[in-house]
Amino acid sequence: MESHLGELEQLVILTLLRLGDDAYGVSVQTTLAERTGRTPALATIYTTLARLEAKGLVVSHTGEPSAERGGRAKKHFRVTGVGRSALKRSLADVRALTQGLGSSWSAP
Amino acid sequence: MTPVGHRPPRLAHWLLGRLLASHAREALLGDLAESRAPRAAYWREVLHAPRTWFAPRPFVTTTPNAGEGRVPQFLMDVRYAWRGMTRRKGMTAVAVGTLALGIGASAAIFSVVHPILLRTVPYPAGDRITMLWERDAAGERSNVGFLTFDDIAREARSFDAVAAMRYMNVTMTTSGEPRPLAGQRVSPDFFRVLGVAPVLGRAFEAADDVRGTPNVLILSDATWRDAFGADPAILERQVVLDGVSYSVVGVLPAEFENVLVPTAQIYAPLRYDASLPWACRTCRHLRVIARLRPGVTGETSTAELDLLAQNLRRDHPSEYATGGMFSESLSRYVTRDVRPALLALLGGVLIVLLVASLNVSNILLARGASRRGEFAVRMALGAGRGRLMRQLLTESALLAVIGGSLGVLLAIAGVRALVAIAPTELPRLSAIGVNGSVLLFALLLTALVGVLFGLVPARRAAGPQLQESLRSGARQLVGSDRVTRSVVVIAEVALALVLLVGSGLLLRSMDRLLAVDPGFDAEGVLTMQVQAGAGALRTDTLVQRFYASALEAVRQLPGVEGASFTSQLPLSGDYDGYGVHLQSRPSANPSDDPSAFRYAVSPGYLETMGIPLVRGRTFTPRDDERAVPVAIVSATFASRHLQGLDPIGQRVRVGAHDEGPWREIVGIVGDVHQESLEAEAPGAIYLPESQWEFVDSQRSLVVRGDGEVSALAPSLRAAIWAVDKDQPIVRVVTAERLVAATAAGRRFALVLFEGFAIVALLLAAAGIYGVLLGSVTERTRELGVRAAFGASASDLVWMVIRQGMTLTLAGVAAGLALALGLTRTITGLLFGISAIDPFTYAAVTVCLLLVALLACFVPAFRAARVDPMETLRAE
């Protein structure tokens, strides 16, 4: 079944694509803040990531614990092929609707 | 634990450990530590932490971990339970539906019982309000005369306030067409006793009660709105009632309910004083109500009243019977007729709920059995028994909550239906509805039911024997499981039988009741009540003339075979009794003389009503005011009070023993039920209306017609109004309806009980069906083997049926024992039949056995179709 992306889900997937291998909770939050000015709580980000993972759009793998993390492991995230397709589709939808919207509107 | 130098706020850290879902906990806390997040960031995460619960996660039991927060686990249980329920839609629908039915019905009945039995008296400290009665010769409640009331009010110490009241029926001719109004005349302390004050204007004062001062009136809220358009200038407005002018001085609050006279629209001062002829001690037509002084009990007040009665008897020996006086709480009085029925209904519906819960319990047991493998795996993975039980209880709680919520919706619809079919004399009818108390009751039931029916299946599914059984094989467990389910079904059958017996007894009581001869021929008779006294009919003579002309006019109408007026109509709620004193047997205390219902009738009444003449003669037009006063008595009166004498020719006085003419008895007629079909037909005395010295302003017209008698109503009304258009005509009803209506209360209880019994029967049958079906499925292998060894299809069918009927018979035995004990409690509702009537028990048992047999059919056929070849192949 085709998944449709929510707004935050879209942003998170895009962020993961930018971050590549280095994508985890804090890095996603920081990137989103730098690029969009929005700082969602880590809890929100992890929830979104969990939902995306359940839909098969991203996968996670747990890394090694480290001292600077207080002995806790880091969870890395990566976009899957299905996730890329979903993202492409979502962006295409936006484009389709913004096309020819009128002179007062200039597509970003 | 934490990186060197980083000190996260301890409380926030602890909260995050509890509030985060497992998928995010490690990573998020690590992130916060790694980025050395400030305190504010930790608290921000605390606020957002609950979001992590709403990520979908497959349910995997991890090793028991103290860090698992309880709250998210519960939500996960709920999600899992929900998924399980939606996966098995059929079973869930049945379980939820059954619960909804049980909880809904219970809540609906509670809606009725709550205001009537638990909040009977909607006044402040209502349990302190009592009715004061004299006891008549038969030991029953008797109204009180004004002078007696006056003495009580002055001398009794037990009460803060005492008031007397009587009915009031008048016609208002102020605005537009004449409008009949019903209400009460009350002494000044009436509203003080109730603890109610008018919301506009004032209550009555002592000055209002004095004859000669301007007449005043208090309106109910509904009357102020309906009759006066909620006129804001209503106070001091003049209203003309029966030709007399009243000034409105108060309007009662909208929430005020008069539990004694629910239809009261107006209130006026009683205005009695000792000089009035009808204020005498023996003129017992007032009801007295009082409020107990703080600290005084009902018993204390009765003791004081008895003492007072003794003194009164000593001072006025011929005016008081030996019975004394007593006080009775208002709530007891108001609910005296309905309490037994309502309690029985509450008991019945709770039995239905129990049966429903047992049914759902069985469904869950069956499901639990099939999930045993799943539980075994999870326990092997480390899930504790408590964990599994908690999850199962969550499932039953979820079922209960959904069932309960649907049940409340059902209850709302059910209550509306109940109120529509409820008998109108039900007290506090207007207060019946699904309110906060009812919802609380439904909530409690839901909780109770959820725990009850969830516990046994949870224990069995996740119980200690689970691990053992997996070692020793499933068969043992299946066996003991079947026993539990069988026991549950036996209980269901037993309870269903109890309800069936109850409704069977009520049904037969109803039959017996309706078979009672009312004493008159109700078929083809139409009645209506005329309330003369408005407009031009100011004097007794004019009233008398009006009724004579009206009767003339009515008799001329086509289709009228016979017509007559009577002061009192049988089975209509009229209640007019007088003392009757025998000339040849004067008694020491005339107050101990018998009383009888008095009927002042036009000639032809007895014939119109079809009341049989036993001896002597009926009235003729020659028995008028100039002739010798005569009377006719009922057979019961003659046999009870005139034994040893020939009633014909005896002379009696009606009313006061020392005043009024002696009337000669000229005839004896058959008994007529006045109050109800079940009450014993009382003594009755009939008098020609022209020979009764007080003129009855309200009379009922009885008309016998050929053909459809209710079609005569318009022409009858027209004929009466042609004589005087200002006289209201009310209570138009055929005699047949009157007779049927007397059983309205019983019919209500009966309909509900039958409903309960049918529901319980269906549930029990479903229970039997379920157990047998399950049994056949489980024993498929065994059945196949038997078939392979030569058992025929009918052998297998017989096996199943035998199993089913054994369960049923066990249930029937238990049920009969229960019923014999429990039906004792509804003896008060039965009529003409004993609580252990063998025919009813037998009939009901047979019915139940037949239904059970039907329930065995599908499982039996399933057993018969077991293919031995397939079974052996599967081995």
Side-chain angles (χ1 to χ4, degrees):
Chain A
M1 193 183 99
E2 294 186 358
S3 327
H4 296 277
L5 297 181
E7 192 240 3
L8 187 58
E9 289 176 332
Q10 216 176 30
L11 294 180
V12 165
I13 292 187
L14 285 164
T15 312
L16 289 186
L17 288 173
R18 294 189 81 87
L19 289 170
D21 284 337
D22 194 27
Y24 68 107
V26 170
S27 64
V28 170
Q29 188 186 47
T30 314
T31 308
L32 276 172
E34 281 169 12
R35 291 257 160 186
T36 68
R38 288 161 62 166
T39 319
L42 285 171
T44 311
I45 293 173
Y46 275 108
T47 308
T48 309
L49 286 166
R51 257 195 242 124
L52 289 171
E53 188 174 16
K55 291 192 218 176
L57 306 180
V58 312
V59 288
S60 68
H61 78 270
T62 315
E64 290 298 313
S66 68
E68 61 172 3
R69 289 178 64 84
R72 295 186 177 80
K74 191 186 275 193
K75 214 177 194 185
H76 296 268
F77 293 89
R78 184 175 63 74
V79 184
T80 63
V82 181
R84 279 173 211 268
S85 311
L87 179 65
K88 283 206 191 99
R89 212 170 23 245
S90 187
L91 292 175
D93 289 346
V94 172
R95 215 173 298 126
L97 283 170
T98 55
Q99 217 161 47
L101 200 55
S103 52
S104 58
W105 173 268
S106 53
Chain B
M1 240 327 178
T2 43
V4 175
H6 178 59
R7 278 214 304 269
R10 286 177 60 168
L11 180 59
H13 195 265
W14 182 82
L15 282 172
L16 283 174
R18 297 279 164 290
L19 290 176
L20 287 170
S22 55
H23 67 87
R25 192 178 309 120
E26 271 267 307
L28 200 150
L29 285 173
D31 282 353
L32 288 172
E34 179 188 311
S35 57
R36 295 178 183 276
R39 302 180 78 85
Y42 271 87
W43 283 107
R44 187 168 177 239
E45 293 304 325
V46 167
L47 284 178
H48 284 92
R51 283 201 204 181
T52 57
W53 310 341
F54 294 107
R57 283 295 285 181
F59 185 90
V60 171
T61 313
T62 56
T63 50
N65 179 354
E68 292 244 60
R70 267 185 222 294
V71 173
Q73 197 176 75
F74 167 67
L75 281 178
M76 271 159 54
D77 283 348
V78 169
R79 282 186 80 99
Y80 190 67
W82 175 255
R83 284 221 303 267
M85 278 169 53
T86 49
R87 230 182 288 137
R88 275 168 269 233
K89 293 208 179 71
M91 191 183 286
T92 307
V94 168
V96 165
T98 309
L99 287 173
L101 199 60
I103 295 179
S106 305
I109 298 292
F110 184 78
S111 301
V112 174
V113 168
H114 178 254
I116 298 181
L117 293 185
L118 299 177
R119 281 272 304 146
T120 318
V121 180
Y123 308 132
D127 54 327
R128 308 290 298 161
I129 304 179
T130 62
M131 302 288 293
L132 309 182
W133 306 100
E134 287 187 48
R135 249 190 222 100
D136 66 9
E140 298 293 327
R141 295 179 192 90
S142 160
N143 290 340
V144 163
F146 176 74
L147 289 176
T148 314
F149 156 70
D150 203 35
D151 285 339
I152 297 174
R154 264 184 300 109
E155 296 177 15
R157 301 260 156 277
S158 307
F159 310 108
D160 262 346
V162 186
M165 52 185 163
R166 57 165 294 181
Y167 292 108
M168 178 180 177
N169 282 300
V170 293
T171 310
M172 178 173 76
T173 45
T174 316
S175 42
E177 47 167 72
R179 195 191 183 105
L181 287 175
Q184 291 187 289
R185 284 196 187 277
V186 298
S187 64
D189 273 349
F190 177 72
F191 292 108
R192 241 189 87 201
V193 169
L194 297 183
V196 169
V199 72
L200 286 179
R202 61 173 181 84
F204 295 136
E205 293 153 5
D208 299 318
D209 206 36
V210 176
R211 302 183 79 79
T213 62
N215 284 295
V216 294
L217 195 67
I218 290 180
L219 306 175
S220 72
D221 178 82
T223 311
W224 174 51
R225 288 178 199 284
D226 294 338
F228 298 94
D231 178 5
I234 187 70
L235 298 180
E236 302 306 317
R237 188 163 152 173
Q238 295 296 315
V239 172
V240 178
L241 304 173
D242 278 1
V244 177
S245 183
Y246 289 75
S247 167
V248 177
V249 296
V251 175
L252 292 168
E255 326 75 69
F256 173 67
E257 260 183 75
N258 187 332
V259 294
L260 285 166
V261 183
T263 49
Q265 299 163 294
I266 53 174
Y267 301 84
L270 193 60
R271 296 200 160 199
Y272 275 29
D273 62 52
S275 67
L276 294 173
W278 53 85
C280 67
R281 294 177 189 279
T282 53
C283 308
R284 293 189 170 87
H285 59 280
L286 298 175
R287 283 195 287 185
V288 177
I289 193 173
R291 184 175 276 275
L292 289 171
R293 191 153 277 165
V296 176
T297 64
E299 291 86 29
T300 318
S301 63
T302 296
E304 186 189 12
L305 283 175
D306 253 341
L307 207 58
L308 210 66
Q310 277 182 34
N311 293 341
L312 287 171
R313 210 164 42 243
R314 182 197 58 211
D315 297 335
H316 312 273
S318 62
E319 288 167 287
Y320 288 95
T322 42
M325 296 199 284
F326 67 101
S327 88
E328 175 185 35
S329 84
L330 180 60
S331 60
R332 188 139 260 267
Y333 174 62
V334 167
T335 59
R336 69 199 181 286
D337 289 332
V338 297
R339 182 179 290 116
L342 285 180
L343 289 177
L345 284 176
L346 193 58
V349 83
L350 288 177
I351 293 181
V352 171
L353 183 61
L354 192 54
V355 174
S357 306
L358 288 174
N359 224 337
V360 175
S361 189
N362 246 359
I363 293 177
L364 290 182
L365 273 173
R367 238 186 85 194
S370 61
R371 290 168 72 185
R372 209 160 276 119
E374 172 199 339
F375 292 150
V377 170
R378 284 173 39 195
M379 280 179 73
L381 286 180
R385 183 153 58 84
R387 179 81 189 77
L388 287 180
M389 272 192 67
R390 223 175 352 191
Q391 199 227 307
L392 285 171
L393 284 175
T394 308
E395 288 179 21
S396 37
L398 189 61
L399 271 179
V401 164
I402 297 179
S405 314
L406 281 179
V408 166
L409 291 178
L410 276 181
I412 293 177
V415 165
R416 228 171 266 166
L418 276 179
V419 169
I421 67 169
T424 45
E425 61 267 12
L426 208 60
R428 302 224 60 211
L429 192 58
S430 55
I432 294 177
V434 176
N435 56 24
S437 315
V438 175
L439 289 176
L440 189 62
F441 179 75
L443 189 65
L444 286 174
L445 276 186
T446 305
L448 196 64
V449 159
V451 165
L452 272 182
F453 75 68
L455 214 49
V456 171
R459 271 197 58 80
R460 291 205 63 77
Q465 65 278 52
L466 181 59
Q467 285 171 310
E468 281 181 38
S469 79
L470 289 174
R471 276 182 242 127
S472 63
R475 214 157 299 168
Q476 246 185 355
L477 200 62
V478 164
S480 78
D481 214 41
R482 203 184 302 156
V483 166
T484 311
R485 288 196 282 164
S486 303
V487 166
V488 169
V489 165
I490 291 175
E492 283 187 51
V493 169
L495 292 173
L497 186 77
V498 169
L499 286 179
L500 282 170
V501 166
S503 73
L505 289 174
L506 287 176
L507 186 63
R508 296 195 65 205
S509 294
M510 188 69 165
D511 272 345
R512 299 268 165 103
L513 187 64
L514 291 178
V516 169
D517 180 5
F520 56 92
D521 183 7
E523 204 181 312
V525 171
L526 180 66
T527 75
M528 51 184 70
Q529 190 185 47
V530 183
Q531 297 176 345
L537 302 183
R538 299 290 179 84
T539 68
D540 286 352
T541 325
L542 290 173
V543 169
Q544 196 73 307
R545 219 177 280 165
F546 160 74
Y547 276 116
S549 310
L551 191 58
E552 256 311 305
V554 163
R555 282 183 174 157
Q556 311 291 358
L557 292 175
V560 170
E561 288 179 355
S564 170
F565 277 103
T566 170
S567 63
Q568 185 172 201
L569 187 65
L571 300 178
S572 64
D574 286 346
Y575 193 104
D576 191 27
Y578 280 74
V580 178
H581 314 280
L582 204 54
Q583 187 180 46
S584 58
R585 277 198 196 146
S587 45
N589 186 352
S591 284
D592 284 331
D593 275 344
S595 57
F597 282 122
R598 173 197 69 101
Y599 298 82
V601 300
S602 343
Y605 171 75
L606 297 163
E607 292 83 345
T608 308
M609 287 291 275
I611 299 173
L613 179 67
V614 175
R615 272 189 66 195
R617 68 170 181 85
T618 61
F619 298 136
T620 70
R622 269 175 296 132
D623 295 309
D624 60 14
E625 58 274 13
R626 293 159 297 177
V628 170
V630 293
I632 294 176
V633 295
S634 67
T636 305
F637 187 87
S639 66
R640 222 186 272 160
H641 307 295
L642 301 173
Q643 329 101 314
L645 300 168
D646 180 4
I648 311 287
Q650 291 298 319
R651 302 174 86 213
V652 292
R653 258 199 186 127
V654 178
H657 72 280
D658 50 1
E659 283 174 18
W662 288 106
R663 305 169 193 272
E664 184 182 325
I665 298 179
V666 296
I668 307 178
V669 292
D671 291 320
V672 169
H673 286 264
Q674 175 61 35
E675 283 182 276
S676 69
L677 291 176
E678 19 188 325
E680 243 182 55
I685 187 161
Y686 297 85
L687 312 168
E689 61 190 1
S690 47
Q691 291 187 350
W692 181 247
E693 54 273 19
F694 303 112
V695 165
D696 296 290
S697 56
Q698 275 184 66
R699 302 187 200 186
S700 292
L701 176 69
V702 297
V703 170
R704 181 173 290 280
D706 51 20
E708 183 58 57
V709 73
S710 35
L712 291 174
S715 48
L716 290 171
R717 271 199 288 251
I720 297 174
W721 279 334
V723 176
D724 186 328
K725 62 172 174 34
D726 286 336
Q727 312 310 315
I729 297 177
V730 297
R731 206 173 69 184
V732 180
V733 61
T734 63
E736 280 174 312
R737 260 247 45 255
L738 278 179
V739 173
T742 63
R746 277 183 190 283
R747 191 173 293 119
F748 180 62
L750 175 63
V751 164
L752 290 180
F753 238 87
E754 281 178 339
F756 296 160
I758 291 174
V759 167
L761 181 61
L762 290 176
L763 287 175
I768 295 174
Y769 170 84
V771 163
L772 289 181
L773 201 61
S775 163
V776 166
T777 314
E778 281 162 15
R779 294 162 71 184
T780 308
R781 197 195 306 164
E782 176 194 339
L783 293 170
V785 168
R786 283 186 192 239
F789 272 88
S792 67
S794 60
D795 285 337
L796 298 176
V797 164
W798 177 236
M799 251 182 71
V800 173
I801 292 186
R802 201 178 54 207
Q803 185 188 5
M805 293 316 282
T806 310
L807 284 179
T808 311
L809 283 172
V812 163
L816 286 176
L818 260 182
L820 282 171
L822 286 178
T823 49
R824 220 169 293 266
T825 57
I826 60 167
T827 318
L829 297 176
L830 301 179
F831 179 80
I833 194 173
S834 100
I836 51 176
D837 176 53
F839 177 75
T840 311
Y841 279 71
V844 155
T845 305
V846 167
C847 171
L848 184 63
L849 290 173
L850 284 175
V851 171
L853 195 60
L854 271 175
C856 295
F857 265 120
V858 171
F861 277 131
R862 193 73 77 79
R865 286 211 313 263
V866 164
D867 183 357
M869 293 310 289
E870 269 196 44
T871 321
L872 293 178
R873 241 176 263 137
E875 275 290 334

PDB file of all heavy atoms in Angstrom, chain B residues 126-140:
ATOM      1  N   GLY B 126     -36.186  15.550  52.933  1.00  0.00           N
ATOM      2  CA  GLY B 126     -37.485  14.950  52.636  1.00  0.00           C
ATOM      3  C   GLY B 126     -37.825  13.769  53.513  1.00  0.00           C
ATOM      4  O   GLY B 126     -38.995  13.430  53.682  1.00  0.00           O
ATOM      5  N   ASP B 127     -36.801  13.128  54.067  1.00  0.00           N
ATOM      6  CA  ASP B 127     -37.100  11.973  54.908  1.00  0.00           C
ATOM      7  C   ASP B 127     -37.689  12.388  56.243  1.00  0.00           C
ATOM      8  O   ASP B 127     -38.065  11.550  57.053  1.00  0.00           O
ATOM      9  CB  ASP B 127     -35.830  11.137  55.121  1.00  0.00           C
ATOM     10  CG  ASP B 127     -34.691  11.988  55.653  1.00  0.00           C
ATOM     11  OD1 ASP B 127     -34.627  13.181  55.294  1.00  0.00           O
ATOM     12  OD2 ASP B 127     -33.859  11.473  56.404  1.00  0.00           O
ATOM     13  N   ARG B 128     -37.770  13.697  56.509  1.00  0.00           N
ATOM     14  CA  ARG B 128     -38.370  14.160  57.757  1.00  0.00           C
ATOM     15  C   ARG B 128     -39.852  14.482  57.588  1.00  0.00           C
ATOM     16  O   ARG B 128     -40.510  14.908  58.523  1.00  0.00           O
ATOM     17  CB  ARG B 128     -37.661  15.443  58.258  1.00  0.00           C
ATOM     18  CG  ARG B 128     -36.158  15.367  58.360  1.00  0.00           C
ATOM     19  CD  ARG B 128     -35.684  14.471  59.453  1.00  0.00           C
ATOM     20  NE  ARG B 128     -36.121  14.928  60.760  1.00  0.00           N
ATOM     21  CZ  ARG B 128     -36.155  14.143  61.846  1.00  0.00           C
ATOM     22  NH1 ARG B 128     -35.814  12.874  61.746  1.00  0.00           N
ATOM     23  NH2 ARG B 128     -36.545  14.617  63.001  1.00  0.00           N
ATOM     24  N   ILE B 129     -40.362  14.295  56.383  1.00  0.00           N
ATOM     25  CA  ILE B 129     -41.768  14.643  56.142  1.00  0.00           C
ATOM     26  C   ILE B 129     -42.618  13.394  56.324  1.00  0.00           C
ATOM     27  O   ILE B 129     -42.290  12.331  55.801  1.00  0.00           O
ATOM     28  CB  ILE B 129     -41.961  15.210  54.728  1.00  0.00           C
ATOM     29  CG1 ILE B 129     -41.045  16.415  54.525  1.00  0.00           C
ATOM     30  CG2 ILE B 129     -43.409  15.609  54.508  1.00  0.00           C
ATOM     31  CD1 ILE B 129     -41.159  17.017  53.149  1.00  0.00           C
ATOM     32  N   THR B 130     -43.709  13.533  57.056  1.00  0.00           N
ATOM     33  CA  THR B 130     -44.568  12.370  57.303  1.00  0.00           C
ATOM     34  C   THR B 130     -46.025  12.703  57.022  1.00  0.00           C
ATOM     35  O   THR B 130     -46.435  13.861  57.046  1.00  0.00           O
ATOM     36  CB  THR B 130     -44.492  11.905  58.769  1.00  0.00           C
ATOM     37  OG1 THR B 130     -44.958  12.965  59.594  1.00  0.00           O
ATOM     38  CG2 THR B 130     -43.094  11.537  59.173  1.00  0.00           C
ATOM     39  N   MET B 131     -46.793  11.654  56.743  1.00  0.00           N
ATOM     40  CA  MET B 131     -48.237  11.776  56.630  1.00  0.00           C
ATOM     41  C   MET B 131     -48.829  11.334  57.963  1.00  0.00           C
ATOM     42  O   MET B 131     -48.342  10.399  58.592  1.00  0.00           O
ATOM     43  CB  MET B 131     -48.753  10.838  55.536  1.00  0.00           C
ATOM     44  CG  MET B 131     -48.167  11.051  54.169  1.00  0.00           C
ATOM     45  SD  MET B 131     -48.762  12.537  53.390  1.00  0.00           S
ATOM     46  CE  MET B 131     -50.475  12.146  53.133  1.00  0.00           C
ATOM     47  N   LEU B 132     -49.887  12.018  58.391  1.00  0.00           N
ATOM     48  CA  LEU B 132     -50.543  11.646  59.649  1.00  0.00           C
ATOM     49  C   LEU B 132     -51.933  11.099  59.342  1.00  0.00           C
ATOM     50  O   LEU B 132     -52.704  11.732  58.642  1.00  0.00           O
ATOM     51  CB  LEU B 132     -50.662  12.864  60.574  1.00  0.00           C
ATOM     52  CG  LEU B 132     -49.375  13.654  60.817  1.00  0.00           C
ATOM     53  CD1 LEU B 132     -49.629  14.791  61.795  1.00  0.00           C
ATOM     54  CD2 LEU B 132     -48.266  12.761  61.329  1.00  0.00           C
ATOM     55  N   TRP B 133     -52.210   9.938  59.855  1.00  0.00           N
ATOM     56  CA  TRP B 133     -53.493   9.291  59.558  1.00  0.00           C
ATOM     57  C   TRP B 133     -54.194   8.863  60.834  1.00  0.00           C
ATOM     58  O   TRP B 133     -53.567   8.594  61.849  1.00  0.00           O
ATOM     59  CB  TRP B 133     -53.268   8.008  58.750  1.00  0.00           C
ATOM     60  CG  TRP B 133     -52.477   8.159  57.509  1.00  0.00           C
ATOM     61  CD1 TRP B 133     -51.159   7.870  57.350  1.00  0.00           C
ATOM     62  CD2 TRP B 133     -52.951   8.605  56.235  1.00  0.00           C
ATOM     63  NE1 TRP B 133     -50.777   8.116  56.071  1.00  0.00           N
ATOM     64  CE2 TRP B 133     -51.843   8.563  55.365  1.00  0.00           C
ATOM     65  CE3 TRP B 133     -54.186   9.036  55.766  1.00  0.00           C
ATOM     66  CZ2 TRP B 133     -51.948   8.940  54.032  1.00  0.00           C
ATOM     67  CZ3 TRP B 133     -54.285   9.396  54.434  1.00  0.00           C
ATOM     68  CH2 TRP B 133     -53.166   9.354  53.587  1.00  0.00           C
ATOM     69  N   GLU B 134     -55.554   8.760  60.718  1.00  0.00           N
ATOM     70  CA  GLU B 134     -56.289   8.002  61.723  1.00  0.00           C
ATOM     71  C   GLU B 134     -56.383   6.581  61.214  1.00  0.00           C
ATOM     72  O   GLU B 134     -56.259   6.325  60.015  1.00  0.00           O
ATOM     73  CB  GLU B 134     -57.700   8.573  61.900  1.00  0.00           C
ATOM     74  CG  GLU B 134     -57.738   9.893  62.635  1.00  0.00           C
ATOM     75  CD  GLU B 134     -59.175  10.312  62.922  1.00  0.00           C
ATOM     76  OE1 GLU B 134     -59.957   9.486  63.420  1.00  0.00           O
ATOM     77  OE2 GLU B 134     -59.511  11.463  62.609  1.00  0.00           O
ATOM     78  N   ARG B 135     -56.651   5.656  62.147  1.00  0.00           N
ATOM     79  CA  ARG B 135     -56.857   4.275  61.716  1.00  0.00           C
ATOM     80  C   ARG B 135     -58.344   3.998  61.779  1.00  0.00           C
ATOM     81  O   ARG B 135     -58.975   4.225  62.814  1.00  0.00           O
ATOM     82  CB  ARG B 135     -56.123   3.317  62.665  1.00  0.00           C
ATOM     83  CG  ARG B 135     -54.944   2.645  62.000  1.00  0.00           C
ATOM     84  CD  ARG B 135     -54.372   1.526  62.834  1.00  0.00           C
ATOM     85  NE  ARG B 135     -52.909   1.571  62.790  1.00  0.00           N
ATOM     86  CZ  ARG B 135     -52.144   2.065  63.716  1.00  0.00           C
ATOM     87  NH1 ARG B 135     -52.691   2.541  64.823  1.00  0.00           N
ATOM     88  NH2 ARG B 135     -50.846   2.082  63.579  1.00  0.00           N
ATOM     89  N   ASP B 136     -58.902   3.468  60.676  1.00  0.00           N
ATOM     90  CA  ASP B 136     -60.342   3.224  60.690  1.00  0.00           C
ATOM     91  C   ASP B 136     -60.642   1.863  61.323  1.00  0.00           C
ATOM     92  O   ASP B 136     -59.736   1.179  61.805  1.00  0.00           O
ATOM     93  CB  ASP B 136     -60.929   3.320  59.277  1.00  0.00           C
ATOM     94  CG  ASP B 136     -60.406   2.201  58.373  1.00  0.00           C
ATOM     95  OD1 ASP B 136     -59.746   1.270  58.866  1.00  0.00           O
ATOM     96  OD2 ASP B 136     -60.663   2.292  57.153  1.00  0.00           O
ATOM     97  N   ALA B 137     -61.923   1.480  61.289  1.00  0.00           N
ATOM     98  CA  ALA B 137     -62.332   0.240  61.953  1.00  0.00           C
ATOM     99  C   ALA B 137     -61.587  -0.963  61.389  1.00  0.00           C
ATOM    100  O   ALA B 137     -61.369  -1.946  62.082  1.00  0.00           O
ATOM    101  CB  ALA B 137     -63.835   0.063  61.806  1.00  0.00           C
ATOM    102  N   ALA B 138     -61.191  -0.889  60.134  1.00  0.00           N
ATOM    103  CA  ALA B 138     -60.489  -2.027  59.539  1.00  0.00           C
ATOM    104  C   ALA B 138     -58.989  -1.922  59.722  1.00  0.00           C
ATOM    105  O   ALA B 138     -58.241  -2.739  59.198  1.00  0.00           O
ATOM    106  CB  ALA B 138     -60.837  -2.094  58.048  1.00  0.00           C
ATOM    107  N   GLY B 139     -58.521  -0.904  60.458  1.00  0.00           N
ATOM    108  CA  GLY B 139     -57.090  -0.760  60.678  1.00  0.00           C
ATOM    109  C   GLY B 139     -56.359  -0.083  59.534  1.00  0.00           C
ATOM    110  O   GLY B 139     -55.139   0.000  59.551  1.00  0.00           O
ATOM    111  N   GLU B 140     -57.083   0.419  58.536  1.00  0.00           N
ATOM    112  CA  GLU B 140     -56.446   1.054  57.383  1.00  0.00           C
ATOM    113  C   GLU B 140     -56.301   2.549  57.606  1.00  0.00           C
ATOM    114  O   GLU B 140     -56.911   3.130  58.502  1.00  0.00           O
ATOM    115  CB  GLU B 140     -57.311   0.829  56.136  1.00  0.00           C
ATOM    116  CG  GLU B 140     -57.460  -0.630  55.767  1.00  0.00           C
ATOM    117  CD  GLU B 140     -56.138  -1.217  55.326  1.00  0.00           C
ATOM    118  OE1 GLU B 140     -55.343  -0.489  54.727  1.00  0.00           O
ATOM    119  OE2 GLU B 140     -55.918  -2.410  55.603  1.00  0.00           O
TER     120      GLU B 140
END
